[in-house]
Amino acid sequence: NNRYALGLRLDPRIMSSEDEAPRETPYGVIFVHGRRFDGYHTRFRDIARGGMRLVTPASPEQYALESAHQYEECYGLAFAQQLKNKDIPEGGSKAVVLIDNIGMSETGKDFVMRKSVKAFTDTILDLIVDTEETREEVVDFVGKKEVLYLGPDEQVIPEDINWVIKRAKQRGYDTPAAFMSSKPR
């Protein structure tokens, strides 16, 4: 098994506190923990579209601050996308991937960022593509097909877009060309 991350579908209700003002509960939340990264994917409808943002803090202090509000950033961006998508069938979503590449050379930073995109994508595909392997390895309490579409956002490069589309096809996603919505230039 060559997995680099662990993914969990979370009940979105656990991401709210009774101490908070009431707000709309997302349709779905996925958390991914990988080598040198943590990511959230939050969506407000069963079929949702929104970008994947890579966050790479420059210092341990900045990393701690980003980590403390990562889910809130993801929620806010997904909710904004939901409002933007109000007149189309897809709901709003967003993925925020917080990457620890502090103190690395530029080459090392780029390597970790590209590897994080791949591991995050593969883990999402593990959770949403029904294959013999995933039926054996994934504990599924949702019990229904999920349709997600990503798009490039901050620090996602054309090579990432191409890889995500190719990988979605290899993994059997029904609409791989739509899994990452933009085409590289």
Side-chain angles (χ1 to χ4, degrees):
N1 191 333
N2 61 354
R3 295 298 188 260
Y4 293 92
L6 171 69
L8 304 169
R9 287 186 197 138
L10 303 175
D11 181 336
R13 295 173 296 181
I14 71 165
M15 299 306 288
S16 297
S17 166
E18 291 180 9
D19 300 336
E20 295 177 345
R23 63 181 184 178
E24 188 171 339
T25 301
Y27 180 86
V29 175
I30 295 174
F31 172 72
V32 178
H33 172 73
R35 297 177 185 170
R36 302 190 76 94
F37 78 91
D38 288 312
Y40 284 98
H41 183 276
T42 301
R43 69 187 190 283
F44 281 90
R45 287 195 199 145
D46 58 342
I47 300 174
R49 179 177 304 279
M52 178 194 311
R53 172 177 290 198
L54 308 181
V55 179
T56 54
S59 70
E61 295 80 11
Q62 187 182 5
Y63 186 90
L65 292 171
E66 293 288 346
S67 180
H69 77 267
Q70 182 184 2
Y71 176 73
E72 292 306 317
E73 177 183 9
C74 190
Y75 177 96
L77 292 168
F79 189 73
Q81 190 69 42
Q82 171 71 6
L83 296 175
K84 224 165 95 173
N85 290 9
K86 66 180 177 39
D87 297 325
I88 63 172
E90 295 100 2
S93 69
K94 187 63 87 170
V96 176
V97 182
L98 178 61
I99 302 170
D100 179 6
N101 58 10
I102 298 165
M104 295 182 163
S105 67
E106 288 305 312
T107 302
K109 287 179 181 183
D110 187 64
F111 176 81
V112 169
M113 289 171 63
R114 308 292 64 93
K115 191 72 169 176
S116 297
V117 168
K118 291 174 181 179
F120 183 82
T121 300
D122 253 343
T123 303
I124 296 285
L125 290 168
D126 284 343
L127 295 173
I128 66 173
V129 176
D130 183 34
T131 66
E132 187 174 316
E133 180 187 19
T134 60
R135 281 190 295 278
E136 291 176 12
E137 302 292 334
V138 173
V139 177
D140 183 4
F141 292 114
V142 174
K144 64 180 182 175
K145 185 175 181 166
E146 293 186 89
V147 181
L148 306 179
Y149 300 114
L150 301 173
D153 200 341
E154 293 177 9
Q155 302 193 79
V156 174
I157 62 173
E159 290 79 7
D160 294 332
I161 297 168
N162 288 331
W163 188 90
V164 168
I165 293 168
K166 182 179 175 185
R167 189 62 169 173
K169 183 176 182 178
Q170 289 172 343
R171 297 286 307 274
Y173 192 74
D174 287 342
T175 53
F179 187 60
M180 179 64 84
S181 60
S182 291
K183 306 297 180 257
R185 297 177 206 176

